[in-house]
Amino acid sequence: MTADPHAEIPLENLSLEQLASLTSGRSTWQTTGITGSIKPLTLSDGPHGIRKQNPHAEDSLALATSVPATCFPPAVTLGSSWDPELTGRVGAALAREASALGVDVILGPGVNIKRSPLCGRNFEYFSEDPHVSGIMGAALVNGIQSRGIGACVKHFAANNQETDRMRVSADVDERTLREIYLPAFEHVVKQAKPYTVMCSYNKLNGVYTSQNHWLLTEVLRDEWGFDGLVMSDWGAVNDRVAALAAGLDLEMPPTGTDAEIVTAVEDGRLDRAVVMTAGQRLVELGRRVARAERYEDWDVDAHHELAREAARAGVVMLKNDGDLLPLDPAARQKVAVIGELARTPRYQGQGSSHVVPTRLDTAWDALHGAVGPDTELTFSPGYPLLSTDLLAFLEPDEGRVAEPSAQPADNADLLADAVTAAQSADVAVLFLGLPDISESEGKDRTTIDLPAEQIALLRAVSEVCSRTVVVLANGGVVSVSEWQDTADAVLEGWLGGQAGGTAIADLLLGSHSPSGRLTESIPHRLADVPSHLFFPGTDGHVVHGEGRYVGYRHYDTLGADVAYPFGHGLTYSRFDYSDLEVEKTGENAWAVSATITNSGRLFAEEVAQLYVAFDETHPTRPRHELRGFTKIGLAPGESGVVRFALTGRDLAWWSASRQDWRFDAGTFTVEIGASSRDIRLRAQLVTPGDNVVEQLGPMSTLGTWLTHPVGSRLIADALGQSPAAAQLTTANPLILEMARAIPLAKFEGFNIGLTAEVVATLVEAAQQTE
Ligand code: BGC
């Protein structure tokens, strides 16, 4: 531990120029210091490994030549583990490496919502669902900050695509923002108290997030209580003065425009106090990270092992017909391993999160090392892989152990060799996936299909080998509907980080049971995706026209078929669900519990998911929404109880007119299941709602008046004095229903005693009693 170098900092004594300099970095990865008082802080990507710039490299972005560090699985894989405890341990390990590398703040996690599978950066995000994103994001922040290193939650907010990311306006209605795009940030800010937040590049409803006062100050600080520092994404500031005034404390990297701040203060366009506050937040950040645990090094083997555990936990077994998996490593059998990705793995995405690993496992080596003498393994590349690492073209990575294969001359030869190997094999295990070049920060995909030559390879192999397994490597979902019938088992391995190859072997050979679950739905076709008609927008705008119906909220509400639903994932065991109990524990608070029993023959983990369902009395809600999950490991025959807490907020919707959360009176269904389409238990809870009564006005409908506790009495008295009104109340139900939908003021010409004067008197009387 080092002494606190920020104990006494007389910010008031700094010149305006010095103050202004604090609001911008001093270099690409460092904040500005003031000699003798404020220490510069080092920031580094993030999020799944430390990308510390090599001090001897000329590459200022450190994309290709950063110092080796453990490459943990990216968020797509970590998220699929549905395991906050494991994620916390990864966070703590990241912090230890950051500390050893002299890094104060890790630029992650990213908790943006996977609105479309095409988003090039989906591998860096956790889920299509805000609850999963929030819980997993908070777990990572808690883990990182448990050692005193700072985390940086990004990209705030509505950065759901890479196309035109530096200019596009994400046009999102307020309710959708509050219910889909902001809650993960809100949860992380409130529960994990990250030291920093990074604004996104894009505009939100026409205003750059870097200069969006509503977002950075009113929501983030005033409502959610954020007390840390807000920095820009790299190059996201367009107007220094507007950004500071909106609540952005630090521009990164520096643009040499501090004089603009000075001039604005001198001209009276910017309050000096705003600059001072930003400076204070930087000083406070320095104080916080000065308390971090400081290490010289880390246990490279132990962190590699943790990366393997995390990779394993995130693999999702999509199908396993006839229980083909696991393969018995001791069996007398011939296994044809096919696919260049088995020996040249794709293990992380491209862009700013790219980490130079400390080592790199391949599935081919791992399988080789794990099978017994009676299992014969063969390897055939099957298809050409352009490169496993885009950046290897720029600079060779020192940390790499596997080199990309030589470029084969003829695809047909590769396919023929693989088919020959498969012909005499008992099982063919095909490693398929997306090439590096197709998934990267800075660009979106245009298709969710696997490369055509890989599908052709699978078809050809499955014709000659009756038992085929597919292992996928991809950062965003790929469609499986076109080819999955030709495979008996499919493991979605995502991007496994540096130990992903070994993790896959662990699962194929059954030393562990798969325990990952989908955090995003797999659609049959790209055209089925709810955002498809709007993504990625045009003419500077991307309208979020599907609103709150993102992912399973869309598919499940419409009953639309998907290839695999949100939450899905198989194991080598089976689980029974029983004894759902919902107990009221307070006003608008409930405790929910259920029993899970492992009824299979192997130890395995289940992810019990809690959804709140909305029936037809809640017509503007999705069919159901995830509000809790628990991963539980059970031995064969063992039972365990999973517990959840529900509050009014879990039932709530955002009312733009009231600028607050509302929840209606009525009956809600609590569902417990193994996926959004595999609900095993249901129970109801009844709530009186939030008891908020609508404020009555002349344009409130007759129906609203009639159901209002005060309005109903007032209106009954008023109508009682009019004979014509009696006709209305005794009219047939259809007329009455129509009348209930009419605003009170509109009855003026109806001659039922509701003249403008009467309505004005009623409104006044109603408002006086409110
Ligand atoms: C990315 C951020 C990253 C930053 C620094 C930006 O391009 O959007 O996620 O932290 O670069 O590398």
Side-chain angles (χ1 to χ4, degrees):
M1 304 276 285
T2 54
D4 179 357
H6 300 273
E8 289 301 326
I9 295 133
L11 267 191
E12 296 75 13
N13 295 349
L14 296 185
S15 67
L16 180 56
E17 285 73 12
Q18 283 177 312
L19 272 183
S21 75
L22 296 179
T23 68
S24 177
R26 83 164 184 190
S27 67
T28 313
W29 304 112
Q30 283 205 316
T31 63
T32 299
I34 303 281
T35 314
S37 56
I38 300 174
K39 216 177 112 195
L41 306 174
T42 301
L43 321 173
S44 190
D45 286 307
H48 63 272
I50 308 303
R51 188 167 62 82
K52 172 81 188 300
Q53 189 181 4
N54 186 329
H56 309 297
E58 284 171 15
D59 161 24
S60 71
L61 287 176
L63 282 178
T65 57
S66 55
V67 178
T70 309
C71 178
F72 290 97
V76 55
T77 316
L78 212 48
S80 302
S81 75
W82 297 63
D83 189 339
E85 187 277 333
L86 170 63
T87 303
R89 280 190 283 132
V90 169
L94 285 168
R96 170 134 192 175
E97 295 192 21
S99 170
L101 293 171
V103 169
D104 299 297
V105 177
I106 298 174
L107 300 175
V111 297
N112 295 95
I113 294 295
K114 299 185 201 225
R115 175 181 177 233
S116 162
L118 294 178
C119 173
R121 236 175 152 176
N122 274 0
F123 67 87
E124 277 191 71
Y125 302 140
F126 292 108
S127 179
E128 70 186 20
D129 177 82
H131 184 81
V132 175
S133 305
I135 298 283
M136 301 306 278
L140 201 65
V141 171
N142 280 326
I144 292 170
Q145 295 191 169
S146 68
R147 295 195 191 277
I149 296 292
C152 180
V153 184
K154 63 188 187 183
H155 308 90
F156 192 51
N159 180 179
N160 312 114
Q161 66 186 53
E162 294 298 287
T163 304
D164 205 18
R165 67 173 167 160
M166 296 198 176
R167 300 182 306 181
V168 74
S169 172
D171 295 344
V172 196
D173 70 86
E174 190 180 330
R175 183 167 170 193
T176 298
L177 262 182
R178 293 290 192 158
E179 295 186 24
I180 302 292
Y181 295 104
L182 295 185
F185 289 99
E186 179 182 1
H187 181 82
V188 177
V189 164
K190 287 181 173 171
Q191 302 302 321
K193 306 201 178 314
Y195 294 175
T196 69
V197 166
M198 183 191 290
C199 80
S200 54
Y201 285 121
N202 54 286
K203 300 183 192 111
L204 177 58
N205 292 323
V207 182
Y208 279 111
T209 63
S210 61
Q211 52 198 64
N212 194 318
H213 188 268
W214 175 79
L215 188 69
L216 300 187
T217 297
E218 291 163 50
V219 173
L220 180 64
R221 291 188 188 280
D222 300 347
E223 263 185 51
W224 299 346
F226 177 67
D227 66 356
L229 172 138
V230 180
M231 70 180 82
S232 70
D233 198 343
W234 266 229
V237 174
N238 300 281
D239 178 334
R240 290 287 302 281
V241 177
L244 261 179
L248 186 114
D249 305 304
L250 177 66
E251 174 203 50
M252 289 301 291
T255 52
T257 51
D258 295 346
E260 289 177 15
I261 308 290
V262 175
T263 312
V265 173
E266 285 169 353
D267 291 355
R269 282 180 290 123
L270 184 67
D271 194 341
R272 183 187 170 105
V274 170
V275 192
M276 180 82 90
T277 302
Q280 269 157 353
R281 289 180 185 141
L282 182 70
V283 169
E284 180 54 29
L285 176 63
R287 279 206 189 95
R288 285 175 170 169
V289 298
R291 295 193 285 266
E293 298 168 14
R294 289 293 165 193
Y295 298 95
E296 296 294 310
D297 56 12
W298 68 89
D299 183 337
V300 175
D301 293 337
H303 282 200
H304 185 76
E305 204 45 44
L306 178 59
R308 174 180 175 179
E309 183 186 347
R312 206 165 47 214
V315 174
V316 182
M317 186 160 72
L318 296 177
K319 66 180 283 190
N320 190 22
D321 290 353
D323 290 339
L324 172 55
L325 293 178
L327 304 177
D328 179 356
R332 181 171 295 282
Q333 61 188 335
K334 189 170 170 194
V335 180
V337 176
I338 297 170
E340 185 57 54
L341 285 163
R343 69 171 179 187
T344 315
R346 169 123 193 277
Y347 58 100
Q348 64 178 327
Q350 293 297 338
S352 62
S353 69
H354 183 274
V355 176
V356 172
T358 58
R359 67 178 69 151
L360 184 57
D361 294 352
T362 75
W364 170 242
D365 285 343
L367 286 168
H368 233 280
V371 293
D374 289 339
T375 293
E376 188 192 334
L377 294 178
T378 61
F379 175 74
S380 336
Y383 52 82
L385 200 58
L386 261 182
S387 160
T388 59
D389 190 334
L390 205 53
L391 298 166
F393 284 123
L394 306 175
E395 290 278 351
D397 287 351
E398 285 165 18
R400 296 187 60 84
V401 293
E403 288 305 320
S405 61
Q407 297 308 302
D410 190 343
N411 294 4
D413 287 350
L414 291 177
L415 188 140
D417 288 351
V419 169
T420 306
Q423 237 154 7
S424 58
D426 299 297
V427 188
V429 183
L430 290 101
F431 287 77
L432 308 179
L434 297 177
D436 262 315
I437 204 140
S438 67
E439 285 183 297
S440 171
E441 175 179 342
K443 75 185 191 71
D444 294 318
R445 285 189 291 167
T446 51
T447 167
I448 57 170
D449 295 338
L450 282 176
E453 68 271 17
Q454 295 189 17
I455 298 177
L457 172 71
L458 172 62
R459 287 198 195 294
V461 165
S462 68
E463 270 168 28
V464 299
C465 184
S466 60
R467 296 157 80 211
T468 51
V469 178
V470 169
V471 179
L472 291 170
N474 44 286
V477 293
V478 292
S479 56
V480 298
S481 301
E482 187 193 337
W483 52 261
Q484 67 160 332
D485 285 350
T486 54
D488 301 281
V490 180
L491 283 185
E492 173 52 271
W494 306 117
L495 303 176
Q498 67 178 49
T502 315
I504 291 291
D506 291 342
L507 298 170
L508 285 174
L509 301 178
S511 73
H512 293 77
S513 182
S515 67
R517 302 290 186 272
L518 292 177
T519 62
E520 52 190 313
S521 317
I522 303 185
H524 283 302
R525 307 170 310 152
L526 181 59
D528 294 343
V529 173
S531 61
H532 186 59
L533 295 177
F534 310 97
F535 187 95
T538 179
D539 205 16
H541 290 265
V542 54
V543 176
H544 286 43
E546 74 286 3
R548 292 166 285 122
Y549 295 86
V550 174
Y552 71 88
R553 286 169 168 79
H554 166 89
Y555 302 119
D556 292 359
T557 304
L558 298 188
D561 200 21
V562 290
Y564 290 105
F566 175 84
H568 169 78
L570 303 176
T571 71
Y572 295 149
S573 203
R574 286 167 186 39
F575 296 92
D576 294 333
Y577 287 58
S578 61
D579 305 327
L580 173 57
E581 283 178 26
V582 179
E583 190 194 338
K584 196 165 172 10
T585 51
E587 199 185 342
N588 296 320
W590 299 266
V592 179
S593 63
T595 300
I596 314 291
T597 303
N598 183 340
S599 52
R601 286 183 289 115
L602 292 171
F603 175 89
E605 287 162 289
E606 177 68 325
V607 178
Q609 301 156 39
L610 184 154
Y611 298 84
V612 173
F614 308 98
D615 61 18
E616 51 284 353
T617 61
H618 308 280
T620 64
R621 310 294 295 264
R623 231 275 299 134
H624 57 184
E625 296 186 283
L626 185 83
R627 293 293 189 247
F629 61 87
T630 301
K631 191 169 195 173
I632 180 169
L634 296 167
E638 193 186 356
S639 295
V641 177
V642 288
R643 297 178 196 284
F644 308 90
L646 286 178
T647 67
R649 172 69 188 266
D650 293 312
L651 311 178
W653 57 278
W654 179 261
S655 165
S657 69
R658 293 192 74 89
Q659 287 293 292
D660 204 355
W661 294 99
R662 294 284 323 271
F663 67 101
D664 306 322
T667 303
F668 295 82
T669 304
V670 176
E671 302 176 334
I672 306 285
S675 83
S676 81
R677 292 286 173 95
D678 184 9
I679 301 302
R680 307 283 186 87
L681 303 170
R682 288 186 173 81
Q684 296 202 318
L685 65 80
V686 180
T687 166
D690 52 17
N691 292 320
V692 171
V693 280
E694 214 176 297
Q695 207 180 21
L696 292 174
M699 288 302 281
S700 301
T701 63
L702 177 64
T704 305
W705 278 85
L706 287 172
T707 51
H708 189 278
V710 175
S712 55
R713 183 174 43 75
L714 292 171
I715 202 89
D717 289 350
L719 293 181
Q721 290 165 24
S722 154
Q727 275 178 12
L728 181 68
T729 45
T730 54
N732 79 36
L734 180 61
I735 295 183
L736 196 54
E737 195 183 332
M738 285 164 60
R740 290 174 74 91
I742 297 174
L744 214 57
K746 299 288 174 187
F747 282 102
E748 165 125 48
F750 284 35
N751 200 21
I752 58 168
L754 290 177
T755 60
E757 296 73 38
V758 172
V759 170
T761 314
L762 286 172
V763 170
E764 203 187 327
Q767 286 176 355
Q768 268 168 11
T769 55
E770 267 164 15

